Amino acid sequence: MADLRDRFDPIPSWARPPEVLVAASGGAPGAGGHGLLGVPLPAEGDVPSELGAGREQLAAAGLTGEAGTAGLLAGTGDGPPLVVFGTGAPEALDPTALRDAGAAFAGAAAQEGRLALLLPVGSGVAPAAAAQALVEGVLLARYRFEVLKRSPQAVPVVALTLLVPGPDVAEAERGARRGLLFARATMLARDLANSPPSLLTAAVLAEVASGLAADTGLTAEVFDQAQLVAMGCGGLLGVNAGSADPARMIKLRYTPAGAGPAGDGAARVTLVGKGVMYDSGGISLKPADAVHATMKNDMSGAGAILAAMSVLRELDCPTAVTGYLMCTDNMPSGTATKLGDVLSIRGGTTVEVINTDAEGRLIMADALVLATEEPTDAIVDIATLTGAAMRALGAEIAGVFGNRRPLVEQVLAAARATDEPAWQLPLARRYRAELDSDVADVKNMGGPNGGAIHAALFLEDFVAGAPWAHLDIAGPAQNDRATGWRPKGCTGFGARLLAEFLLGFTPPGRPEPGSGEGGEAARDER
């Protein structure tokens, strides 16, 4: 194990980014040495001349242009073969459909490392948005985590060229670059979540984060066990009590060009991520089933924050960002926190632990308090927090809670733009009394129903009224099977969503007196 730990690279995707180019289209199909060419085919309307075939001939080969379909077409004459990928009905074409189309193309060309594709012309989607979506679809669909395999099977994409009309080259280049950065962030988050927990401990993640920070224009501070004790971070320390591996808190900071050293002059967001490297449930041990085997992904929130922040400099993000990654595993042992124990969160709030498998909210509470101790315009946390959110929304949609409607709407807008689906759930304060404890200020679980709401209400106790949103990604963090550009295994959900949110963030401000904003009545209980 020691030898494997020494050789293991937890972020193999980051070190080997593909080359993404944009070139003017023209000439014979396949010309220019760009690699296997993909040609878009709409489900109706004109057929691209590059295919050299009519719609009936293509349909006979099973190439209908339906969204999500792709297949190989023999080249005309001595020409090379082409991949025809469907873009669906022209009136329904948007970046989400193009991202899916790029994924279908990548799947049909799975044995080729050098790829090229034609940008759909006259689609109504701006060249930059189309280029970004296609790059994301291709690269994310071809992602595989095979660093621990002796003989990897997947063929990585080493080069991707987009062929676009000459006047659109500059705009498409901007979109393609953004697509590459968004894809790299997601692949980085996937790498981290897929890494075995014995190889990616909290301490190792701190080393990875420090190295990434140095390379990407971030500053990183790592707080060890002794420092966490001095800071009064009793939530993180309580969860870590049963572990043989020490906890770490990683504080990252991104400062935009032109802003002051603490982000002065820029809008400021604080991110908080759950980084449970492996969640056994602690004394409240999880059953030994398939879900238990996925619990290396319980640090997906922290991974998404690290990944998103790693591309902010290259995206020229105007928002100043501070990130807290709260990292530990949750293990049973003779020293583990017991049911009935009381922990003291930073700031002095006491928490009765009635279930040690409700640990994520405990470690995040410390960070939420820390977030309120510095100036910020909004706090956003992200965590694989509750099975209840997955029961409510299924395995593909994240739950969103918040105390400011404008902030929640910005998170939802970013979810729509990136096709990382999220749905607002009610922060129903009528349930807050279910968290009251007889022996402490609060307990870490409520009743048997509404578990996602209870978790959100618990977290809200620690934000001191600051604008705050909470993303529960327990469902979409993991895929049981590959679907389009989402692989089987850890999905990296949240990295692109957070990057999109930060790029367009506007401070929500304080609610107007008497507006009801932030209360249950103001919530859209969709």
Side-chain angles (χ1 to χ4, degrees), residues 16 23-24 92 99 235 294 305 329 334 374 377 400 408 423 453 455 472:
R16 296 185 291 275
R99 193 177 294 109
T294 67
I305 291 174
D329 51 11
E374 294 182 345
D377 294 307
V400 182
V408 170
W423 197 264
I453 298 173
D472 191 330

Side-chain angles (χ1 to χ4, degrees), residues 10-11 14 188 192 200-224 227 248-253 302 305-307 309-310 313 323 325 327:
I11 51 171
W14 189 258
L188 173 59
L192 292 169
L200 185 65
T201 63
V204 173
L205 181 58
E207 294 172 2
V208 171
S210 297
L212 283 169
D215 291 340
T216 59
L218 306 176
T219 61
E221 295 179 80
V222 177
F223 298 85
D224 63 17
Q227 290 169 303
R248 291 289 186 270
M249 182 176 75
I250 306 160
K251 183 180 180 180
L252 303 171
R253 196 183 296 276
I305 291 174
L306 175 57
M309 292 187 68
S310 294
R313 180 180 64 178
L325 315 185
C327 303

Side-chain angles (χ1 to χ4, degrees), residues 227-294:
Q227 290 169 303
L228 293 169
V229 171
M231 295 168 68
C233 292
L236 181 56
L237 292 166
V239 174
N240 181 253
S243 177
D245 294 314
R248 291 289 186 270
M249 182 176 75
I250 306 160
K251 183 180 180 180
L252 303 171
R253 196 183 296 276
Y254 163 76
T255 304
D264 302 324
R268 290 179 281 204
V269 170
T270 305
L271 303 177
V272 171
K274 176 185 176 183
V276 175
M277 314 308 293
Y278 181 76
D279 182 18
S280 71
I283 296 297
S284 303
L285 193 65
K286 293 179 185 291
D289 58 15
V291 172
H292 201 161
T294 67

Side-chain angles (χ1 to χ4, degrees), residues 403-406 465 467 507-519 522:
N403 63 2
R404 297 290 191 281
R405 188 188 301 277
R510 295 284 175 175
E512 293 296 326
S515 68
E517 179 66 38

Side-chain angles (χ1 to χ4, degrees), residues 320-341:
V321 184
T322 299
Y324 288 95
L325 315 185
M326 309 301 285
C327 303
T328 178
D329 51 11
N330 182 27
M331 298 294 288
S333 76
T335 61
T337 292
K338 297 171 279 295
L339 279 68
D341 277 349

Side-chain angles (χ1 to χ4, degrees), residues 99 131-141 178-179 182-183 485 496:
R99 193 177 294 109
Q132 177 180 346
L134 286 168
V135 169
E136 290 174 6
V138 171
L139 299 185
L140 294 178
R178 179 161 159 153
F182 272 48
W485 51 270
R496 290 167 51 252

